[in-house]
Amino acid sequence: KNEVEQSPQNLTAQEGEFITINCSYSVGISALHWLQQHPGGGIVSLFMLSSGKKKHGRLIATINIQEKHSSLHITASHPRDSAVYICAHDRGSTLGRLYFGRGTQLTVWP
Amino acid sequence: KAGVTQTPRYLIKTRGQQVTLSCSPISGHRSVSWYQQTPGQGLQFLFEYFSETQRNKGNFPGRFSGRQFSNSRSEMNVSTLELGDSALYLCASSFLAGDDGEQFFGPGTRLTVL
């Protein structure tokens, strides 16, 4: 069983819709990462958070440490948001290793 | 500030050959992690280097090795290539030793083994 579970696996939305991607994990962590991967492979770090909530532009990430759950929200979605969104954690380690979910493929139609 | 760079971007090899991939971290970053991404297994951790020392290693066979130089640049080597080694290999660098170590990823090297 993967210790990082993401849902949904695939998500299709119309431009302007509010998007939520969920991530659940089963171990103690120091930090939870949200990553974005576009076709072609490059990965961009969106958020690293260990508590509460962070916001960058139209993206919001929240985490509930007690419930071992995090969500990534995209407000006013746009076709350029189409990508794979990956949740990852460090399992409480400081040794540069991340444990990844399988990703959520988001497609936003104009 | 320049981002993480990886060379080469694409590589085609045949079974049994060996390959060396290179990663140059963001200036000032001392930690470099390597990951393998395949459609079947997703993203998996290979190893991490900090100040020329391998601090952490994933569950890969000994054919996968790496090193880090004094300027923090890192290389990974795969010997006796197998078809299953075809993958996207990503490196990521971070500034801090561990706590709050946000990782910045390179564009990846896509390796095809024929």
Side-chain angles (χ1 to χ4, degrees):
Chain A
K1 181 181 182 297
N2 195 352
E3 62 183 67
V4 185
E5 297 288 344
Q6 282 187 241
S7 63
Q9 265 188 292
N10 295 283
L11 187 54
T12 302
Q14 287 294 129
E15 183 173 356
E17 287 186 1
F18 182 85
I19 303 292
T20 295
I21 299 171
N22 295 298
C23 174
S24 295
Y25 53 93
S26 55
V27 296
I29 68 171
S30 294
L32 191 288
H33 300 248
W34 280 103
L35 310 169
Q36 180 193 57
Q37 186 172 32
H38 279 282
I43 291 178
V44 174
S45 175
L46 298 175
F47 295 101
M48 186 181 74
L49 65 166
S50 53
S51 66
K53 177 178 172 178
K54 286 190 176 181
K55 184 176 188 291
H56 291 157
R58 296 179 296 105
L59 272 59
I60 303 166
T62 64
I63 188 168
N64 185 318
I65 295 292
Q66 287 74 29
E67 295 188 4
K68 293 186 168 60
H69 181 270
S70 177
S71 293
L72 176 68
H73 306 286
I74 304 175
T75 61
S77 58
H78 190 275
R80 65 175 173 267
D81 297 326
S82 298
V84 176
Y85 292 83
I86 302 167
C87 167
H89 68 67
D90 60 8
R91 207 195 262 180
S93 167
T94 60
L95 299 182
R97 175 174 186 167
L98 293 180
Y99 297 79
F100 300 89
R102 297 307 302 267
T104 295
Q105 173 69 61
L106 171 65
T107 304
V108 182
W109 297 102
Chain B
K1 207 178 231 187
V4 179
T5 59
Q6 291 187 246
T7 56
R9 293 293 312 279
Y10 301 91
L11 205 47
I12 299 176
K13 292 285 188 179
T14 56
R15 277 182 300 175
Q17 287 188 308
Q18 76 163 21
V19 65
T20 299
L21 312 181
S22 180
C23 172
S24 293
I26 291 172
S27 178
H29 285 194
R30 294 164 63 191
S31 171
V32 175
S33 299
W34 286 91
Y35 300 95
Q36 181 197 64
Q37 186 178 35
T38 59
Q41 299 297 320
L43 278 158
Q44 293 184 285
F45 172 80
L46 282 156
F47 26 65
E48 187 261 1
Y49 288 87
F50 181 82
S51 293
E52 302 179 65
T53 299
Q54 186 184 89
R55 299 192 301 171
N56 204 350
K57 190 176 191 306
N59 297 327
F60 279 82
R63 300 184 297 107
F64 292 81
S65 62
R67 59 178 175 169
Q68 187 180 35
F69 302 95
S70 58
N71 62 357
S72 293
R73 189 178 71 85
S74 179
E75 289 181 346
M76 67 162 282
N77 183 277
V78 188
S79 62
T80 319
L81 284 165
E82 301 177 359
L83 295 178
D85 297 333
S86 294
L88 180 67
Y89 290 88
L90 293 150
C91 77
S93 73
S94 66
F95 174 66
L96 298 175
D99 292 342
D100 296 324
E102 183 177 8
Q103 295 195 11
F104 296 84
F105 286 79
T109 294
R110 189 164 295 280
L111 171 65
T112 302
V113 182
L114 302 176

